[in-house]
Amino acid sequence: MTEIGRAGAHDRVVSSLGAAIVNGDISPDDDLDVAALQERFSVSRTAVREALRVLAAKGLVGARPRRGTFVAPREQWALLDADVLRWRFADRVDETFLDELGEVRLTVEPAVARMAALRRTDRDLADLEDALAAMRTAAGRPAVDHVEADLAFHHALLRAAHNELMAQMATAIEAGLRLRDQFVHTALTSESTDKHAEVLFAVRKQRQKAAETAMRALIERSIADVDLAKKVHDDHGG
């Protein structure tokens, strides 16, 4: 098999097996037989073992002497890993994740805004201005444009905080915003854009408390939108 062929086989096993684990088709503590997986995916033993190493790095599988490889307990999964997030939400909306992410964002992002107000550079302000302009342009356009513009603003704010650990939240925030868009189905409004502008104004003026308060209000509005969408979803019988 060529190098490209081996990579393709390896990626196929990682994606298929990872999605099956994350979505519950294979349960925690289930054994993973290498020979059976080799036959199932029509790949080499090497490709299966390489795929299992990748999944182990994401916390999805474990191995023990005499037992072999098995699906790891959920609490060991790297839930903020980009692939795990993608597999988790590929075909469905996870309301529990939206609730949990709302709590995380309400804890993290106001603090990020406060840091950004203290540490932002001229380049950071230019990136935030560009993102806000894109949000204004996206109003009334397809939903995908709303999400990309919104993401650009939040990513720029995370960079403006100049905290590498906070910046790692970008993957979770992106997943949450994309999932929220699938669930809420609301257009980007001038009110939403204005709330982002309030954050930017406070950051530009280096008003730390005002930046924190404006971001908290923005996140609380996002959570309220999700709660309303859940109620409508329930009223219509799911």
Side-chain angles (χ1 to χ4, degrees), residues 132-210:
L132 185 64
M135 291 184 71
R136 295 196 190 282
T137 301
R141 296 178 62 177
V144 64
D145 293 338
H146 311 164
V147 177
E148 295 306 324
D150 200 5
L151 281 172
F153 186 92
H154 288 275
H155 284 178
L157 194 68
L158 282 165
R159 292 194 299 272
H162 295 280
N163 181 305
E164 290 182 343
L165 295 181
M166 288 291 193
Q168 295 297 311
M169 289 299 300
T171 300
I173 290 171
E174 178 170 349
L177 288 174
R178 293 190 187 282
L179 182 63
R180 175 189 174 279
D181 180 67
Q182 292 176 31
F183 189 57
V184 177
H185 299 299
T186 55
L188 185 63
T189 64
S190 59
E191 180 185 357
S192 174
T193 305
D194 288 345
K195 287 187 178 298
H196 286 76
E198 290 172 12
V199 174
L200 174 54
F201 180 80
V203 169
R204 185 191 299 113
K205 295 295 186 180
Q206 294 191 295
R207 297 174 181 170
Q208 297 174 54
K209 183 60 178 177

Side-chain angles (χ1 to χ4, degrees), residues 1 3 18 105 114 145 158 196 225:
M1 183 181 290
E3 194 68 31
R105 292 186 67 193
R114 187 183 185 97
D145 293 338
L158 282 165
H196 286 76
D225 287 344

Side-chain angles (χ1 to χ4, degrees), residues 86-159:
R86 177 169 53 83
W87 295 329
R88 187 175 177 182
F89 308 124
D91 302 314
R92 63 194 176 97
V93 171
D94 188 322
E95 294 184 23
T96 299
F97 174 79
L98 280 173
D99 290 341
E100 291 177 350
L101 183 66
E103 293 172 353
V104 170
R105 292 186 67 193
L106 201 55
T107 301
V108 172
E109 290 195 75
V112 166
R114 187 183 185 97
M115 291 178 198
L118 177 66
R119 301 171 181 170
R120 93 289 186 278
T121 64
D122 289 343
R123 173 60 185 273
D124 294 327
L125 289 176
D127 289 344
L128 286 163
E129 294 278 9
D130 288 346
L132 185 64
M135 291 184 71
R136 295 196 190 282
T137 301
R141 296 178 62 177
V144 64
D145 293 338
H146 311 164
V147 177
E148 295 306 324
D150 200 5
L151 281 172
F153 186 92
H154 288 275
H155 284 178
L157 194 68
L158 282 165
R159 292 194 299 272

Side-chain angles (χ1 to χ4, degrees), residues 35-95:
L37 292 172
Q38 182 180 350
E39 182 177 352
R40 172 182 170 183
F41 292 105
S42 299
V43 296
S44 69
R45 190 177 187 85
T46 298
V48 172
R49 291 198 176 280
E50 288 176 353
L52 291 174
R53 276 197 290 271
V54 170
L55 295 175
K58 299 177 185 298
L60 298 181
V61 304
R64 292 192 189 125
R66 292 189 296 278
R67 177 178 177 180
T69 307
F70 56 91
V71 178
R74 184 182 177 87
E75 57 266 24
Q76 295 181 15
W77 298 358
L79 293 175
L80 298 182
D81 178 88
D83 286 330
V84 173
L85 286 167
R86 177 169 53 83
W87 295 329
R88 187 175 177 182
F89 308 124
D91 302 314
R92 63 194 176 97
V93 171
D94 188 322
E95 294 184 23

